[in-house]
């Protein structure tokens, strides 16, 4: 398909979004990521029944934590698509990148203790 | 198991206040099982505190460690050579663990990160319900295994009161009447005649911290 999507997206592959833990998302922010988004299968189609639903709950948990900390909670998001939807994957990457460009880089800095 | 709930983050931030180097100590027993203060939760809280402090331009040096149990001396021992140099210790244990930790390191401020809520059961992942108030005088044997102290809004030993309402409690339709449940349970077991027996009220006043020494054990002489 040779689709293009923004080069600033770094992919972390997991067997199922159910594997994505709260700590994995927090660690990304701690290490300077401007945003984190999870792309899971369509709801209702999880091979493990509830992996993507669990991920959504965890994403929402991290959103509330970001809110508590004083960061834009939309910096972490959950998207769903089927494995056949390449163009949608690229569209989500563009959408997320556009949002991040709009709110600016993470206030935590691009690297740990960058300000020091 | 003892169930806890993490304190609101605002309160946690206020508690940590001016400290610049802290050690977050988790507990691997009850609070780990109820998903509030085990190794994973310690990591999550430490990350949250670290990021919040960096955002407010007051970076904090935070380390994490989880001990098997904070209510046991032998497990606290591992902290002896680790706490030096920290401005404060954060603990995610229950109230007993917090106090035992504070007792062991009286020179260092010990700050609780968890509100201890009750002794309860696991109804599902992350879902807990209170079942025991540790009143020291268990009547479950005569109440069909339903605790009137915990389940009755008035903790009546000899109930029900006039507020029982077709199996519900007068305080809310969501709350079952403990004594109605006790009646039904005993009826099912054919033990209804026992419900008449009078249980003297427990003396709740003048309570002091309780101590239990199990049969076959005694306090070491040095403590007597």
């Amino acid at each position: 398909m040779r689709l293009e999507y923004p080069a600033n997206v770094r992919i972390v592959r997991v067997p199922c979004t159910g594997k994505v833990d709260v700590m994995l998302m927090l660690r990304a922010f701690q290490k300077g990521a401007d945003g984190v988004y999870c792309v899971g299968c369509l709801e209702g189609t999880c091979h493990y029944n509830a992996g993507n639903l669990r991920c959504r709950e965890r994403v929402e948990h991290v959103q509330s934590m970001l809110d508590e900390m004083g960061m834009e909670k939309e910096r972490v998001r959950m998207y769903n698509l089927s494995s056949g939807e390449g163009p949608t994957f690229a569209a989500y990457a563009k959408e997320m990148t556009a949002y991040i460009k709009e709110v600016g880089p993470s206030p935590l800095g691009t690297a740990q203790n960058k300000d020091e | 198991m003892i169930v806890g709930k993490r304190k609101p983050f605002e309160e946690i931030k206020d508690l940590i206040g001016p400290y610049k180097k802290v050690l977050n100590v988790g507990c691997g027993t009850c609070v780990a099982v109820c998903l509030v203060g085990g190794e994973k939760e310690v990591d999550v809280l430490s990350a949250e505190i670290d990021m919040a402090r960096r955002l407010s331009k007051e970076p904090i040096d935070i380390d994490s460690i989880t001990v098997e149990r904070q209510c046991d001396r032998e497990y606290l021992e591992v902290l002896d050579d680790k706490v030096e140099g920290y401005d404060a210790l954060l603990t995610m244990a229950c109230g007993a663990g917090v106090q035992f930790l504070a007792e062991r390191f009286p020179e260092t401020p010990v700050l609780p990160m968890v509100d201890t809520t009750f002794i309860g059961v696991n109804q599902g992942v992350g879902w807990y319900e209170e079942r025991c108030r540790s009143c020291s005088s268990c009547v479950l044997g005569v109440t069909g295994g339903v605790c009137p102290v915990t389940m009755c809004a008035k903790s009546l030993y000899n109930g029900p009161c006039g507020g029982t309402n077709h199996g519900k409690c007068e305080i809310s339709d969501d709350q079952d009447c403990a004594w109605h449940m006790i009646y039904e349970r005993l009826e099912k077991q054919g033990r209804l005649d026992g419900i008449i027996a009078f249980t003297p009220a427990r003396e709740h006043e003048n309570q002091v911290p309780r101590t239990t020494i199990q049969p076959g054990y005694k306090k070491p002489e040095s403590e007597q």
Side-chain angles (χ1 to χ4, degrees), chain B residues 183-192:
Chain B
Y183 182 92
E184 290 204 317
R185 182 75 58 82
L186 290 177
E187 190 181 33
K188 210 177 272 177
Q189 297 175 359
R191 297 203 290 153
L192 262 184

Side-chain angles (χ1 to χ4, degrees), chain A residues 86-99:
Chain A
T88 317
F89 180 84
Y92 287 155
K94 284 177 192 158
E95 185 181 313
M96 187 71 190
T97 306
Y99 173 73

Side-chain angles (χ1 to χ4, degrees), chain B residues 58-75:
Chain B
E58 297 165 305
I60 190 169
D61 200 350
I62 184 164
D63 293 318
S64 309
I65 187 170
T66 301
V67 296
E68 191 65 37
R69 266 204 292 287
Q70 287 191 31
C71 56
D72 237 325
R73 277 203 188 92
E74 61 179 296
Y75 296 114

Side-chain angles (χ1 to χ4, degrees), chain B residues 191-209:
Chain B
R191 297 203 290 153
L192 262 184
D193 46 331
I195 205 171
I196 299 297
F198 178 73
T199 310
R202 180 173 146 63
E203 302 290 336
H204 283 289
E205 74 268 24
N206 300 332
Q207 278 196 6
V208 293

Side-chain angles (χ1 to χ4, degrees), chain A residues 38-92:
Chain A
C38 302
V39 188
C41 300
L42 291 169
E43 291 189 3
T45 65
C46 178
H47 180 69
Y48 306 103
N49 295 333
N52 49 1
L53 304 177
R54 290 210 176 105
C55 185
R56 177 173 292 281
E57 278 174 30
R58 288 171 195 156
V59 164
E60 284 165 8
H61 185 195
V62 176
Q63 284 184 332
S64 67
M65 284 186 197
L66 292 186
D67 206 28
E68 281 174 344
M69 285 182 251
M71 271 169 86
E72 300 82 4
K73 65 177 191 177
E74 284 289 311
R75 282 183 187 273
V76 57
R77 291 182 184 187
M78 178 79 201
Y79 287 112
N80 298 88
L81 44 68
S82 87
S83 56
E85 293 180 89
T88 317
F89 180 84
Y92 287 155

Side-chain angles (χ1 to χ4, degrees), chain B residues 8-186:
Chain B
F9 194 61
E10 278 304 311
E11 191 182 340
I12 289 178
K13 278 202 291 190
D14 288 346
L15 273 172
I16 299 172
Y19 300 118
K20 289 201 160 51
K21 186 173 165 66
V22 297
L23 178 64
N24 190 4
V25 189
C27 177
T29 310
C30 312
V31 289
V33 178
C34 71
L35 308 175
V36 72
E39 199 168 354
K40 187 169 152 187
E41 293 77 26
V42 165
D43 283 345
V44 169
L45 179 65
S46 295
E48 220 179 329
I49 293 170
D50 169 57
M51 284 193 273
R53 290 286 289 255
R54 274 159 63 193
L55 284 171
S56 57
K57 305 278 177 223
E58 297 165 305
I60 190 169
D61 200 350
I62 184 164
D63 293 318
S64 309
I65 187 170
T66 301
V67 296
E68 191 65 37
R69 266 204 292 287
Q70 287 191 31
C71 56
D72 237 325
R73 277 203 188 92
E74 61 179 296
Y75 296 114
L76 286 184
E77 227 174 77
V78 298
L79 297 172
D80 285 352
D81 56 351
K82 292 195 172 70
V83 300
E84 212 185 308
Y86 288 103
D87 301 336
L89 300 178
L90 317 181
T91 160
M92 299 195 78
C94 70
V98 176
Q99 294 187 54
F100 217 35
L101 189 71
E103 218 172 291
R104 190 158 187 110
F105 306 108
E107 315 287 321
T108 316
V110 172
L111 314 170
M113 299 290 109
V114 165
D115 288 323
T116 310
T117 42
F118 50 74
I119 299 177
V121 295
N122 196 344
Q123 290 281 34
V125 181
W127 168 23
Y128 309 95
E129 276 181 6
E130 183 172 20
R131 285 292 185 275
C132 177
R133 292 263 163 97
S134 68
C135 71
S136 287
S137 37
C138 192
V139 290
L140 288 169
V142 290
T143 59
V146 177
C147 175
V149 179
T150 314
M151 308 308 275
C152 168
K154 293 176 178 170
S155 294
L156 292 178
Y157 270 139
N158 301 283
C161 71
T164 182
N165 180 20
H166 303 290
K168 297 293 174 187
C169 174
E170 62 180 344
I171 63 159
S172 155
D173 280 346
D174 298 330
Q175 170 91 19
D176 291 324
C177 170
W179 277 96
H180 183 86
M181 289 194 285
I182 292 170
Y183 182 92
E184 290 204 317
R185 182 75 58 82
L186 290 177

